[in-house]
Amino acid sequence: MMQNVHLAPETDEDDLYSGYNDYNPIYDIEELENDAAFQQAVRTSHGRRPPITAKISSTAVTRPIATGYGSKTSLASSIGRPMTGAIQDGVTRPMTAVRAAGFTKAALRGSAFDPLSQSRGPAPPLEAKKKDSPEEKIKQLEKEVNELVEESCIANSCGDLKLALEKAKDAGRKERVLVRQREQVTTPENINLDLTYSVLFNLASQYSVNEMYAEALNTYQVIVKNKMFSNAGILKMNMGNIYLKQRNYSKAIKFYRMALDQVSSVNNQMRIKIMQNIGVTFIQADREKMKKAFQKLIAVPLEIDEDKYISPSDDPHTNLVTEAIKNDHLRQMEHERRAMAEKYIMTSAKLIAPVIETSFAAGYDWCVEVVKASQYVELANDLEINKAVTYLRQKDYNQGKDFAQASSYADIAVNSDRYNPAALTNKGNTVFANGDYEKAAEFYKEALRNDSSCTEALYNIGLTYEKLNRLDEALDCFLKLHAILRNSAEVLYQIANIYELMENPSQAIEWLMQVVSVIPTDPQVLSKLGELYDREGDKSQAFQYYYESYRYFPCNIEVIEWLGAYYIDTQFWEKAIQYFERASLIQPTQVKWQLMVASCFRRSGNYQKALDTYKDTHRKFPENVECLRFLVRLCTDLGLKDAQEYARKLKRLEKMKEIREQRIKSGRDGSGGSRGKREGSASSDSGQNYSASSKGERLNARLRALPGTNEPYESSSNKEIDASYVDPLGPQIERPKTAAKKRIDEDDFADEELGDDLLPE
């Protein structure tokens, strides 16, 4: 064994870097098989022998260290004693300091290895806390209060307001019990203020939603007056809301201002909302003031005794006196006073009705109810008529017209006075609305026989003859009416319209020029003049009137279409782009306008802009075949790689289109004719209703005449464009027609604007 022991080499004590390259043999597990001391300790109990007293007093005893080449060096202990397992004077030092965890003498006697002491069984259970302790009672009660508050909020969100209020009350009762128990056990500083605040706030909210405003205000007062609650002053805004619901506007404004003082300037959003509430309260207060003022106006006594004008007996002398005072100055003064009172009441009702309620209809209803309960009962019917007229002015004909009721009232009027031209005219209007034009004409004729100066009946009978296609008789009626009403734009327009129907455009232009002299800014009359000049082939005059119409009303799609086509004919592509872009803004679901914009870019030589426009159109309308065709041709001619992708999409869409056509053809007979009709013109897709000789068809013909897809970078036919996209929104809604621009429209009766409307008496 001694041949493996080597003494430590003598080194210079001043060498501070010595020993750093030495290797600790403890980590050399590869040489354990050659370590005789280790093998002996494994095979025997040599390692557990008591230590042997060292025979020498040297402090530099070392243990041989195996090297990678089989040689061994010695490493001295840092405390000057032999290392464990070191051999000194032929005796190996036992490893007495090494002892594994859980290794005891009992293990040597055959006991099982149990380092975690699992054989002792489970640990004893924890000692249970006493449920009857004050702390546990308080915690349990606090938990119940929280659960009640949550249940109250959930019931409120589900719409069960009564249950929410009951839960909130239970939470309030238990919270008060909790506070008393806490005061007995702990100091008042340990009371849970957050829980108290949430309970009171929830209770006040539930009172408010259940319209128990007095209880809600009392509960809010409890929170606000408690100085221990921070930021409770903001709840004065909720109190202001309650006062607003009670229509106590002065107190509502007071509490809103108090809440505004509680909010810091940092929270600007809250301050803005409170100030908005203050403004709404002032408006509501004004509404109430207006209502009260109207009620006071209604309650003003006229002090007119109508009974004195009725003879109570058959006494001739009394009858003579009664007849004498019926038309005296006092009676006339009473008539003037009543007329003045009715005028003030009607004017006041018209002023306040649109603003005292959420809508003018509700405002009129309130005024009617107030008037019916007063001495001016007869004014209620006048207010109902004003309400209907307001609906008509807003173009809400369904609300403004009740044909069944109108017919019944017209019958009552005719039966009460058969010779009243106004009653006969209104009865004719109700018959006209039902489409019985012959019968309507009879009522109008009877009204004219009773009063030849009834211009309303004369105007309406002209419209009736126009509906019956009796144009000569209609023209005679309107010419007679023109002799009575020289500067009536309605009459002038109807005369021009009849000349147009009689295919006399020169006379129609002449009469329309007179309409323009009366109403020079009517866009519909100007566009009609442009249309007539276009038919006559006078492009310059047509452009002038179309452009004037566009200036006054730049949203008429027919005018925009004509101007765009005009600039295409004159090859001013940039000008045409402006109008087609506006058309695409007005009708964003119509693909043809965007295709026309791209076509104008191609014609002007701006191919990159045209390509971008086609790509944008393809993103909006991915199933448009025409757009894909131009993308394929444009990308191919420009040498772009996207051409193949667009070609695949085009092929797939064309195949789907063929399958769809086959299904339609097999599904019903005669589908070819209906399909050709559906694909025929742009007007069917754009939702505009053009007549057979209208400008729309001629414009579509002009667009169809543009070069097709067989020519490089030219617009395709309009037929293909329209057939590739159908507007899902249907026909476009027309704008409200102004004076001198309406055409024959039997649905616009009793309107004050110019047109074919029947004129009520």
Side-chain angles (χ1 to χ4, degrees), residues 584-634:
S584 66
L585 293 176
I586 298 173
Q587 294 181 345
T589 59
Q590 289 287 339
V591 65
K592 67 175 183 178
W593 306 122
Q594 302 183 38
L595 291 177
M596 292 305 299
V597 171
S599 175
C600 291
F601 278 124
R602 288 187 286 111
R603 293 168 182 269
S604 62
N606 193 345
Y607 300 133
Q608 185 59 44
K609 191 68 176 179
L611 180 62
D612 295 338
T613 306
Y614 278 126
K615 287 182 178 180
D616 183 65
T617 305
H618 177 63
R619 283 192 296 268
K620 295 178 181 178
F621 306 96
E623 296 184 358
N624 185 267
V625 178
E626 192 69 20
C627 181
L628 280 173
R629 289 175 182 170
F630 282 114
L631 278 173
V632 170
R633 298 192 61 240
L634 194 58

Short mmCIF file of all heavy atoms in Angstrom, two decimals, residues 584-634:
data_model
loop_
_atom_site.label_atom_id
_atom_site.label_comp_id
_atom_site.label_asym_id
_atom_site.label_seq_id
_atom_site.Cartn_x
_atom_site.Cartn_y
_atom_site.Cartn_z
N SER A 584 -69.98 56.66 -57.60
CA SER A 584 -69.62 55.52 -56.76
C SER A 584 -69.79 55.82 -55.27
O SER A 584 -70.05 54.92 -54.48
CB SER A 584 -68.17 55.10 -57.04
OG SER A 584 -67.27 56.13 -56.64
N LEU A 585 -69.67 57.09 -54.90
CA LEU A 585 -69.93 57.46 -53.50
C LEU A 585 -71.42 57.43 -53.19
O LEU A 585 -71.82 57.05 -52.09
CB LEU A 585 -69.36 58.86 -53.21
CG LEU A 585 -67.84 59.00 -53.24
CD1 LEU A 585 -67.45 60.46 -53.03
CD2 LEU A 585 -67.20 58.13 -52.17
N ILE A 586 -72.24 57.85 -54.16
CA ILE A 586 -73.68 57.84 -53.94
C ILE A 586 -74.23 56.42 -53.95
O ILE A 586 -75.10 56.07 -53.15
CB ILE A 586 -74.37 58.70 -55.01
CG1 ILE A 586 -73.89 60.16 -54.91
CG2 ILE A 586 -75.88 58.64 -54.88
CD1 ILE A 586 -74.38 61.04 -56.03
N GLN A 587 -73.73 55.60 -54.84
CA GLN A 587 -74.17 54.20 -54.94
C GLN A 587 -72.96 53.29 -54.78
O GLN A 587 -72.42 52.75 -55.75
CB GLN A 587 -74.85 53.95 -56.29
CG GLN A 587 -76.15 54.71 -56.48
CD GLN A 587 -76.79 54.42 -57.82
OE1 GLN A 587 -76.16 53.87 -58.73
NE2 GLN A 587 -78.06 54.79 -57.96
N PRO A 588 -72.50 53.09 -53.55
CA PRO A 588 -71.29 52.28 -53.35
C PRO A 588 -71.48 50.80 -53.67
O PRO A 588 -70.50 50.08 -53.84
CB PRO A 588 -70.98 52.49 -51.86
CG PRO A 588 -72.29 52.85 -51.25
CD PRO A 588 -73.05 53.61 -52.30
N THR A 589 -72.71 50.33 -53.75
CA THR A 589 -72.95 48.92 -54.07
C THR A 589 -73.06 48.66 -55.56
O THR A 589 -73.28 47.51 -55.96
CB THR A 589 -74.25 48.45 -53.38
OG1 THR A 589 -75.34 49.26 -53.82
CG2 THR A 589 -74.12 48.56 -51.87
N GLN A 590 -72.93 49.71 -56.37
CA GLN A 590 -72.99 49.55 -57.82
C GLN A 590 -71.57 49.43 -58.37
O GLN A 590 -70.77 50.37 -58.27
CB GLN A 590 -73.71 50.74 -58.46
CG GLN A 590 -75.20 50.78 -58.21
CD GLN A 590 -75.93 49.71 -59.01
OE1 GLN A 590 -75.42 49.22 -60.01
NE2 GLN A 590 -77.11 49.36 -58.56
N VAL A 591 -71.26 48.30 -58.95
CA VAL A 591 -69.91 48.05 -59.42
C VAL A 591 -69.61 48.82 -60.70
O VAL A 591 -68.44 49.10 -61.01
CB VAL A 591 -69.69 46.54 -59.64
CG1 VAL A 591 -70.59 46.03 -60.75
CG2 VAL A 591 -68.23 46.22 -59.94
N LYS A 592 -70.64 49.20 -61.44
CA LYS A 592 -70.38 49.77 -62.77
C LYS A 592 -69.68 51.13 -62.68
O LYS A 592 -68.89 51.48 -63.55
CB LYS A 592 -71.67 49.91 -63.56
CG LYS A 592 -72.65 50.92 -63.02
CD LYS A 592 -73.84 51.05 -63.95
CE LYS A 592 -74.81 52.12 -63.48
NZ LYS A 592 -75.93 52.29 -64.41
N TRP A 593 -69.93 51.88 -61.61
CA TRP A 593 -69.28 53.18 -61.50
C TRP A 593 -67.78 53.04 -61.30
O TRP A 593 -67.00 53.76 -61.91
CB TRP A 593 -69.89 53.98 -60.36
CG TRP A 593 -71.38 54.13 -60.45
CD1 TRP A 593 -72.30 53.75 -59.52
CD2 TRP A 593 -72.13 54.70 -61.52
NE1 TRP A 593 -73.56 54.03 -59.95
CE2 TRP A 593 -73.49 54.63 -61.18
CE3 TRP A 593 -71.77 55.25 -62.75
CZ2 TRP A 593 -74.50 55.09 -62.01
CZ3 TRP A 593 -72.78 55.72 -63.58
CH2 TRP A 593 -74.12 55.64 -63.22
N GLN A 594 -67.37 52.10 -60.48
CA GLN A 594 -65.94 51.89 -60.27
C GLN A 594 -65.27 51.33 -61.52
O GLN A 594 -64.11 51.65 -61.82
CB GLN A 594 -65.73 50.96 -59.08
CG GLN A 594 -66.36 51.51 -57.80
CD GLN A 594 -66.11 50.64 -56.60
OE1 GLN A 594 -65.03 50.08 -56.45
NE2 GLN A 594 -67.09 50.54 -55.73
N LEU A 595 -65.99 50.51 -62.26
CA LEU A 595 -65.44 50.01 -63.52
C LEU A 595 -65.28 51.14 -64.54
O LEU A 595 -64.32 51.17 -65.31
CB LEU A 595 -66.34 48.91 -64.09
CG LEU A 595 -66.37 47.59 -63.30
CD1 LEU A 595 -67.35 46.63 -63.95
CD2 LEU A 595 -64.99 46.97 -63.24
N MET A 596 -66.21 52.08 -64.53
CA MET A 596 -66.09 53.22 -65.44
C MET A 596 -64.93 54.13 -65.04
O MET A 596 -64.24 54.69 -65.90
CB MET A 596 -67.40 54.01 -65.46
CG MET A 596 -68.57 53.28 -66.10
SD MET A 596 -68.22 52.70 -67.77
CE MET A 596 -67.87 54.23 -68.61
N VAL A 597 -64.69 54.26 -63.73
CA VAL A 597 -63.52 55.03 -63.29
C VAL A 597 -62.24 54.39 -63.78
O VAL A 597 -61.34 55.05 -64.33
CB VAL A 597 -63.52 55.15 -61.75
CG1 VAL A 597 -62.21 55.76 -61.27
CG2 VAL A 597 -64.70 56.00 -61.28
N ALA A 598 -62.14 53.07 -63.63
CA ALA A 598 -60.95 52.36 -64.11
C ALA A 598 -60.82 52.46 -65.62
O ALA A 598 -59.71 52.60 -66.16
CB ALA A 598 -61.01 50.90 -63.67
N SER A 599 -61.95 52.41 -66.33
CA SER A 599 -61.92 52.52 -67.78
C SER A 599 -61.38 53.88 -68.21
O SER A 599 -60.59 53.98 -69.16
CB SER A 599 -63.32 52.29 -68.35
OG SER A 599 -63.33 52.51 -69.73
N CYS A 600 -61.80 54.95 -67.50
CA CYS A 600 -61.30 56.28 -67.84
C CYS A 600 -59.80 56.40 -67.57
O CYS A 600 -59.07 57.04 -68.33
CB CYS A 600 -62.07 57.33 -67.05
SG CYS A 600 -63.80 57.50 -67.55
N PHE A 601 -59.32 55.76 -66.51
CA PHE A 601 -57.88 55.77 -66.25
C PHE A 601 -57.13 55.06 -67.38
O PHE A 601 -56.05 55.50 -67.81
CB PHE A 601 -57.58 55.09 -64.92
CG PHE A 601 -57.77 55.99 -63.72
CD1 PHE A 601 -58.61 55.64 -62.69
CD2 PHE A 601 -57.09 57.20 -63.63
CE1 PHE A 601 -58.78 56.46 -61.59
CE2 PHE A 601 -57.26 58.04 -62.55
CZ PHE A 601 -58.12 57.66 -61.52
N ARG A 602 -57.68 53.96 -67.86
CA ARG A 602 -57.02 53.24 -68.96
C ARG A 602 -56.99 54.07 -70.23
O ARG A 602 -56.00 54.11 -70.95
CB ARG A 602 -57.73 51.92 -69.22
CG ARG A 602 -57.48 50.89 -68.13
CD ARG A 602 -58.06 49.53 -68.49
NE ARG A 602 -59.51 49.52 -68.38
CZ ARG A 602 -60.34 49.44 -69.40
NH1 ARG A 602 -59.86 49.39 -70.62
NH2 ARG A 602 -61.64 49.42 -69.22
N ARG A 603 -58.12 54.74 -70.49
CA ARG A 603 -58.19 55.54 -71.71
C ARG A 603 -57.22 56.72 -71.67
O ARG A 603 -56.68 57.13 -72.69
CB ARG A 603 -59.61 56.06 -71.91
CG ARG A 603 -60.64 54.99 -72.21
CD ARG A 603 -62.05 55.55 -72.09
NE ARG A 603 -63.05 54.53 -72.32
CZ ARG A 603 -63.58 54.24 -73.49
NH1 ARG A 603 -63.17 54.92 -74.55
NH2 ARG A 603 -64.48 53.30 -73.63
N SER A 604 -57.01 57.25 -70.45
CA SER A 604 -56.09 58.39 -70.33
C SER A 604 -54.63 57.95 -70.30
O SER A 604 -53.73 58.79 -70.26
CB SER A 604 -56.41 59.19 -69.07
OG SER A 604 -56.23 58.38 -67.91
N GLY A 605 -54.36 56.62 -70.32
CA GLY A 605 -52.99 56.12 -70.32
C GLY A 605 -52.40 55.89 -68.95
O GLY A 605 -51.23 55.49 -68.83
N ASN A 606 -53.14 56.11 -67.89
CA ASN A 606 -52.65 55.88 -66.53
C ASN A 606 -52.95 54.44 -66.15
O ASN A 606 -53.87 54.13 -65.40
CB ASN A 606 -53.33 56.87 -65.56
CG ASN A 606 -52.63 56.91 -64.22
OD1 ASN A 606 -51.83 56.05 -63.89
ND2 ASN A 606 -52.96 57.93 -63.44
N TYR A 607 -52.12 53.51 -66.65
CA TYR A 607 -52.38 52.08 -66.47
C TYR A 607 -52.18 51.63 -65.02
O TYR A 607 -52.89 50.74 -64.55
CB TYR A 607 -51.49 51.27 -67.41
CG TYR A 607 -51.71 51.60 -68.86
CD1 TYR A 607 -50.64 51.84 -69.72
CD2 TYR A 607 -53.00 51.68 -69.37
CE1 TYR A 607 -50.85 52.16 -71.05
CE2 TYR A 607 -53.22 51.99 -70.71
CZ TYR A 607 -52.14 52.23 -71.54
OH TYR A 607 -52.36 52.54 -72.85
N GLN A 608 -51.22 52.20 -64.34
CA GLN A 608 -50.99 51.80 -62.95
C GLN A 608 -52.19 52.17 -62.08
O GLN A 608 -52.64 51.38 -61.24
CB GLN A 608 -49.72 52.47 -62.42
CG GLN A 608 -49.32 52.03 -61.01
CD GLN A 608 -49.09 50.54 -60.92
OE1 GLN A 608 -48.44 49.96 -61.79
NE2 GLN A 608 -49.61 49.93 -59.88
N LYS A 609 -52.73 53.38 -62.30
CA LYS A 609 -53.91 53.80 -61.53
C LYS A 609 -55.11 52.93 -61.91
O LYS A 609 -55.93 52.58 -61.04
CB LYS A 609 -54.20 55.27 -61.81
CG LYS A 609 -55.22 55.89 -60.89
CD LYS A 609 -54.72 56.00 -59.48
CE LYS A 609 -55.72 56.72 -58.59
NZ LYS A 609 -55.27 56.83 -57.20
N ALA A 610 -55.20 52.59 -63.18
CA ALA A 610 -56.29 51.71 -63.60
C ALA A 610 -56.17 50.34 -62.95
O ALA A 610 -57.17 49.76 -62.50
CB ALA A 610 -56.29 51.58 -65.13
N LEU A 611 -54.93 49.81 -62.88
CA LEU A 611 -54.73 48.50 -62.26
C LEU A 611 -55.09 48.55 -60.77
O LEU A 611 -55.75 47.63 -60.25
CB LEU A 611 -53.26 48.08 -62.43
CG LEU A 611 -52.87 46.73 -61.82
CD1 LEU A 611 -53.65 45.60 -62.47
CD2 LEU A 611 -51.36 46.50 -61.97
N ASP A 612 -54.69 49.60 -60.09
CA ASP A 612 -55.04 49.73 -58.66
C ASP A 612 -56.55 49.81 -58.47
O ASP A 612 -57.10 49.22 -57.53
CB ASP A 612 -54.36 50.96 -58.07
CG ASP A 612 -52.84 50.84 -58.07
OD1 ASP A 612 -52.35 49.70 -58.13
OD2 ASP A 612 -52.16 51.89 -58.02
N THR A 613 -57.22 50.53 -59.37
CA THR A 613 -58.68 50.65 -59.26
C THR A 613 -59.36 49.32 -59.51
O THR A 613 -60.30 48.95 -58.80
CB THR A 613 -59.19 51.69 -60.26
OG1 THR A 613 -58.50 52.93 -60.07
CG2 THR A 613 -60.68 51.93 -60.08
N TYR A 614 -58.87 48.57 -60.50
CA TYR A 614 -59.45 47.25 -60.75
C TYR A 614 -59.22 46.30 -59.56
O TYR A 614 -60.11 45.52 -59.19
CB TYR A 614 -58.85 46.65 -62.02
CG TYR A 614 -59.49 47.13 -63.28
CD1 TYR A 614 -58.73 47.69 -64.30
CD2 TYR A 614 -60.87 47.02 -63.48
CE1 TYR A 614 -59.32 48.14 -65.48
CE2 TYR A 614 -61.46 47.46 -64.65
CZ TYR A 614 -60.67 48.03 -65.64
OH TYR A 614 -61.27 48.46 -66.80
N LYS A 615 -58.03 46.37 -58.97
CA LYS A 615 -57.76 45.51 -57.81
C LYS A 615 -58.68 45.87 -56.64
O LYS A 615 -59.20 44.98 -55.95
CB LYS A 615 -56.30 45.63 -57.40
CG LYS A 615 -55.32 44.96 -58.35
CD LYS A 615 -53.90 45.08 -57.85
CE LYS A 615 -52.92 44.36 -58.77
NZ LYS A 615 -51.51 44.48 -58.29
N ASP A 616 -58.85 47.17 -56.42
CA ASP A 616 -59.74 47.59 -55.33
C ASP A 616 -61.17 47.17 -55.62
O ASP A 616 -61.90 46.73 -54.71
CB ASP A 616 -59.65 49.10 -55.18
CG ASP A 616 -60.48 49.61 -54.02
OD1 ASP A 616 -60.17 49.27 -52.87
OD2 ASP A 616 -61.45 50.36 -54.26
N THR A 617 -61.59 47.27 -56.87
CA THR A 617 -62.94 46.82 -57.23
C THR A 617 -63.08 45.32 -57.05
O THR A 617 -64.13 44.83 -56.59
CB THR A 617 -63.24 47.20 -58.69
OG1 THR A 617 -63.04 48.61 -58.86
CG2 THR A 617 -64.67 46.85 -59.06
N HIS A 618 -62.03 44.56 -57.36
CA HIS A 618 -62.08 43.11 -57.19
C HIS A 618 -62.18 42.72 -55.71
O HIS A 618 -62.85 41.74 -55.37
CB HIS A 618 -60.84 42.47 -57.82
CG HIS A 618 -60.78 40.98 -57.64
ND1 HIS A 618 -61.72 40.13 -58.17
CD2 HIS A 618 -59.89 40.20 -56.96
CE1 HIS A 618 -61.41 38.88 -57.84
NE2 HIS A 618 -60.31 38.91 -57.10
N ARG A 619 -61.52 43.49 -54.85
CA ARG A 619 -61.64 43.20 -53.42
C ARG A 619 -63.05 43.46 -52.91
O ARG A 619 -63.55 42.72 -52.06
CB ARG A 619 -60.65 44.06 -52.63
CG ARG A 619 -59.21 43.58 -52.70
CD ARG A 619 -58.34 44.28 -51.68
NE ARG A 619 -58.23 45.70 -51.95
CZ ARG A 619 -57.28 46.24 -52.68
NH1 ARG A 619 -56.35 45.47 -53.23
NH2 ARG A 619 -57.23 47.55 -52.90
N LYS A 620 -63.71 44.47 -53.46
CA LYS A 620 -65.08 44.77 -53.02
C LYS A 620 -66.09 43.85 -53.68
O LYS A 620 -67.11 43.50 -53.07
CB LYS A 620 -65.41 46.23 -53.35
CG LYS A 620 -64.57 47.23 -52.57
CD LYS A 620 -64.92 48.67 -52.98
CE LYS A 620 -64.07 49.67 -52.23
NZ LYS A 620 -64.36 51.08 -52.63
N PHE A 621 -65.86 43.48 -54.94
CA PHE A 621 -66.79 42.63 -55.68
C PHE A 621 -66.01 41.44 -56.25
O PHE A 621 -65.68 41.42 -57.44
CB PHE A 621 -67.46 43.42 -56.81
CG PHE A 621 -68.13 44.69 -56.35
CD1 PHE A 621 -67.47 45.91 -56.44
CD2 PHE A 621 -69.40 44.67 -55.81
CE1 PHE A 621 -68.07 47.08 -56.01
CE2 PHE A 621 -70.01 45.83 -55.40
CZ PHE A 621 -69.35 47.04 -55.48
N PRO A 622 -65.69 40.46 -55.41
CA PRO A 622 -64.84 39.35 -55.88
C PRO A 622 -65.51 38.45 -56.92
O PRO A 622 -64.83 37.68 -57.58
CB PRO A 622 -64.54 38.57 -54.60
CG PRO A 622 -65.66 38.92 -53.67
CD PRO A 622 -66.07 40.32 -54.00
N GLU A 623 -66.83 38.54 -57.08
CA GLU A 623 -67.53 37.68 -58.03
C GLU A 623 -67.88 38.42 -59.32
O GLU A 623 -68.68 37.91 -60.12
CB GLU A 623 -68.80 37.12 -57.39
CG GLU A 623 -68.52 36.20 -56.20
CD GLU A 623 -69.79 35.59 -55.65
OE1 GLU A 623 -70.87 35.93 -56.19
OE2 GLU A 623 -69.71 34.80 -54.71
N ASN A 624 -67.29 39.56 -59.54
CA ASN A 624 -67.57 40.31 -60.76
C ASN A 624 -66.67 39.80 -61.88
O ASN A 624 -65.44 39.91 -61.81
CB ASN A 624 -67.34 41.81 -60.52
CG ASN A 624 -67.73 42.64 -61.72
OD1 ASN A 624 -66.91 42.94 -62.56
ND2 ASN A 624 -69.01 43.01 -61.80
N VAL A 625 -67.27 39.24 -62.91
CA VAL A 625 -66.52 38.62 -64.01
C VAL A 625 -65.84 39.69 -64.86
O VAL A 625 -64.69 39.52 -65.30
CB VAL A 625 -67.47 37.75 -64.86
CG1 VAL A 625 -66.71 37.15 -66.05
CG2 VAL A 625 -68.08 36.66 -64.01
N GLU A 626 -66.54 40.80 -65.10
CA GLU A 626 -65.99 41.83 -65.97
C GLU A 626 -64.70 42.41 -65.40
O GLU A 626 -63.73 42.66 -66.13
CB GLU A 626 -67.04 42.93 -66.16
CG GLU A 626 -66.72 43.91 -67.27
CD GLU A 626 -66.81 43.29 -68.64
OE1 GLU A 626 -67.46 42.24 -68.78
OE2 GLU A 626 -66.22 43.84 -69.57
N CYS A 627 -64.68 42.62 -64.09
CA CYS A 627 -63.47 43.16 -63.46
C CYS A 627 -62.31 42.19 -63.60
O CYS A 627 -61.17 42.60 -63.86
CB CYS A 627 -63.77 43.46 -61.98
SG CYS A 627 -62.39 44.17 -61.08
N LEU A 628 -62.58 40.91 -63.43
CA LEU A 628 -61.51 39.91 -63.58
C LEU A 628 -61.00 39.85 -65.01
O LEU A 628 -59.80 39.66 -65.24
CB LEU A 628 -62.03 38.54 -63.14
CG LEU A 628 -62.05 38.28 -61.64
CD1 LEU A 628 -62.74 36.96 -61.34
CD2 LEU A 628 -60.63 38.28 -61.07
N ARG A 629 -61.86 40.02 -65.99
CA ARG A 629 -61.41 40.00 -67.38
C ARG A 629 -60.42 41.13 -67.65
O ARG A 629 -59.37 40.92 -68.27
CB ARG A 629 -62.60 40.13 -68.32
CG ARG A 629 -63.49 38.90 -68.37
CD ARG A 629 -64.72 39.14 -69.22
NE ARG A 629 -65.59 37.98 -69.23
CZ ARG A 629 -66.82 37.99 -69.74
NH1 ARG A 629 -67.29 39.11 -70.29
NH2 ARG A 629 -67.56 36.90 -69.71
N PHE A 630 -60.73 42.32 -67.16
CA PHE A 630 -59.81 43.42 -67.38
C PHE A 630 -58.52 43.24 -66.58
O PHE A 630 -57.45 43.63 -67.04
CB PHE A 630 -60.49 44.74 -66.99
CG PHE A 630 -61.44 45.24 -68.03
CD1 PHE A 630 -62.80 45.30 -67.77
CD2 PHE A 630 -60.98 45.65 -69.26
CE1 PHE A 630 -63.67 45.77 -68.73
CE2 PHE A 630 -61.85 46.13 -70.23
CZ PHE A 630 -63.20 46.19 -69.96
N LEU A 631 -58.60 42.65 -65.39
CA LEU A 631 -57.39 42.39 -64.62
C LEU A 631 -56.48 41.41 -65.34
O LEU A 631 -55.25 41.59 -65.36
CB LEU A 631 -57.77 41.86 -63.23
CG LEU A 631 -58.16 42.91 -62.18
CD1 LEU A 631 -58.68 42.23 -60.92
CD2 LEU A 631 -56.97 43.80 -61.85
N VAL A 632 -57.06 40.36 -65.93
CA VAL A 632 -56.25 39.38 -66.66
C VAL A 632 -55.56 40.04 -67.85
O VAL A 632 -54.35 39.89 -68.07
CB VAL A 632 -57.13 38.21 -67.11
CG1 VAL A 632 -56.36 37.30 -68.06
CG2 VAL A 632 -57.61 37.42 -65.90
N ARG A 633 -56.29 40.82 -68.63
CA ARG A 633 -55.72 41.43 -69.82
C ARG A 633 -54.70 42.50 -69.46
O ARG A 633 -53.65 42.62 -70.09
CB ARG A 633 -56.83 42.04 -70.68
CG ARG A 633 -57.83 40.99 -71.18
CD ARG A 633 -58.76 41.50 -72.26
NE ARG A 633 -58.01 41.92 -73.42
CZ ARG A 633 -58.02 43.16 -73.91
NH1 ARG A 633 -58.75 44.08 -73.33
NH2 ARG A 633 -57.32 43.48 -74.98
N LEU A 634 -55.02 43.28 -68.41
CA LEU A 634 -54.11 44.35 -68.03
C LEU A 634 -52.82 43.79 -67.44
O LEU A 634 -51.71 44.25 -67.78
CB LEU A 634 -54.80 45.27 -67.02
CG LEU A 634 -54.14 46.62 -66.76
CD1 LEU A 634 -54.00 47.41 -68.06
CD2 LEU A 634 -54.96 47.43 -65.76
#
